[in-house]
Amino acid sequence: MTCPKCRSSNVQRLRGYWEDLPAESPNRRRFAPPDEPSVQPVVALLAVIVGIAATVSGEVLAGLGITVAGLVWAAVLQRQVTAYRLSLAEYDASVICLAEYYVFA
């Protein structure tokens, strides 16, 4: 495999390059994998449960609102997880040219 930019054959998988860097290297942060989102699905699940309980107890409009808010929150969290997985897959497939520090897939 060669670099598409400079045609150098001095290339390495990006994840392997990053793992081999010492902790004090300035490139450690630059070439790090994407940050994992802080997803807390318990909050969304709790909102749905509270919304259903409120609906059953007679507060139909408030209960439906809380339930819908919980479902929307769960959808937002799912979108964040999907975006993270896609960016992580792209990161894992990436290669770095060690001659020019050019990252490509």
Side-chain angles (χ1 to χ4, degrees):
M1 178 181 292
T2 60
C3 174
K5 187 175 180 183
C6 70
R7 302 288 178 217
S8 170
S9 61
N10 191 11
V11 296
Q12 184 179 357
R13 289 272 177 211
L14 184 57
R15 179 166 296 278
Y17 171 75
W18 177 77
E19 288 172 349
D20 291 342
L21 286 173
E24 61 275 353
S25 172
N27 285 340
R28 185 107 176 124
R29 182 78 176 136
R30 179 177 172 200
F31 295 115
D35 292 330
E36 190 171 351
S38 61
V39 176
Q40 297 178 357
V42 175
V43 175
L45 180 62
L46 218 62
V48 171
I49 291 170
V50 168
I52 291 172
T55 302
V56 170
S57 70
E59 296 292 328
V60 177
L61 197 54
L64 289 176
I66 294 170
T67 303
V68 169
L71 292 173
V72 168
W73 183 249
V76 168
L77 294 178
Q78 181 60 38
R79 176 175 269 165
Q80 287 178 352
V81 169
T82 301
Y84 167 72
R85 287 181 180 163
L86 289 173
S87 63
L88 186 61
E90 181 180 337
Y91 178 84
D92 287 337
S94 295
V95 178
I96 185 168
C97 170
L98 299 176
E100 294 195 16
Y101 294 105
Y102 174 70
V103 177
F104 59 97

